[in-house]
Amino acid sequence: MFSITTSTPEETLNIAKCFGKHIEASTLVLFYGDLGAGKTLFTQGIGNSLGIKRMKSPSFIIASEYEDTTPPLLHIDLYRISTQREIDSLEIDNYLRDGFAVCVEWSENWKELPKDHIKIEIKKISESTRQIVFSAFGQKHEKILSNIKEDLANDYAIN
Ligand code: ADP
Ligand code: MG
């Protein structure tokens, strides 16, 4: 587990772009944090690093699929979803099996989580300060996150 504190949205976006370079097929990234923490912004940074120019905020559409990138990306927002049945109907497992990287906002609403994932918790410290806490579960995701940490350590103060 490690954390980075940012003081501007641009800084968070740059960290997300660096993070995104390490994303592989079937990587699951679960976001936690309040409204306005920066979950969508971070996901957009990941998308940008894969070559997606404009990403929608999925809040009203629940799931957005980007198929033309390597790996393809699924962006999910569970804000309006709470039952396991609704979550099951999104078939996230199938996307992961098909090689999609999957970013999930409002993971607080997902109780029966897959064991293997990277967790990103974004805490609002002030209007423009965020503490971003990274942790990984399962060998594959631990390896990816340790590479990300090494890369980020070149440019940012890591705690
Ligand atoms: P969420 O998806 O978590 O609800 P968004 O990514 O949509 O949040 O919005 C985050 C908001 O916080 C944006 O308006 C962004 O400009 C603002 N912001 C201010 N400071 C930061 C920072 N250090 N990191 C990320 N976002 C920040
Ligand atoms: Mg959001």
Side-chain angles (χ1 to χ4, degrees):
M1 181 190 283
F2 65 93
S3 76
I4 299 179
T5 302
T6 68
S7 37
T8 63
E10 291 71 29
E11 209 180 338
T12 298
L13 191 65
N14 286 334
I15 287 167
K17 285 179 184 170
C18 178
F19 183 101
K21 285 190 295 177
H22 297 272
I23 288 284
E24 297 172 8
S26 311
T27 304
L28 175 60
V29 184
L30 302 180
F31 289 91
Y32 295 78
D34 293 341
L35 193 70
K39 303 178 293 297
T40 299
L41 185 71
F42 201 108
T43 304
Q44 285 169 337
I46 292 175
N48 292 162
S49 76
L50 298 178
I52 304 163
K53 298 242 157 52
R54 299 186 106 246
M55 287 187 77
K56 309 153 239 178
S57 174
S59 294
F60 298 94
I61 33 188
I62 299 167
S64 306
E65 228 180 283
Y66 303 89
E67 286 181 293
D68 299 333
T69 54
T70 310
L73 180 69
L74 178 70
H75 182 192
I76 291 200
D77 193 319
L78 298 178
Y79 187 54
R80 284 176 183 73
I81 283 198
S82 53
T83 67
Q84 188 62 37
R85 178 196 282 265
E86 283 175 291
I87 292 171
D88 288 345
S89 75
L90 297 170
E91 302 195 311
I92 296 170
D93 281 6
N94 286 343
Y95 281 94
L96 288 168
R97 217 171 296 133
D98 289 346
F100 275 75
V102 180
C103 291
V104 181
E105 296 189 42
W106 292 104
S107 303
E108 288 89 342
N109 286 341
W110 193 1
K111 304 299 180 211
E112 294 168 38
L113 291 173
K115 182 185 146 279
D116 295 339
H117 63 270
I118 291 173
K119 175 177 177 175
I120 300 181
E121 189 177 4
I122 308 179
K123 298 177 189 171
K124 260 191 189 178
I125 307 298
S126 74
E127 197 50 42
S128 61
T129 307
R130 303 288 185 275
Q131 187 194 18
I132 310 173
V133 185
F134 300 87
S135 45
F137 303 86
Q139 216 176 6
K140 172 193 163 88
H141 288 79
E142 281 167 7
K143 179 74 191 142
I144 293 171
L145 189 61
S146 90
N147 291 336
I148 290 170
K149 182 181 179 183
E150 217 174 281
D151 200 351
L152 287 172
N154 294 318
D155 295 309
Y156 302 94
I158 286 183
N159 295 298

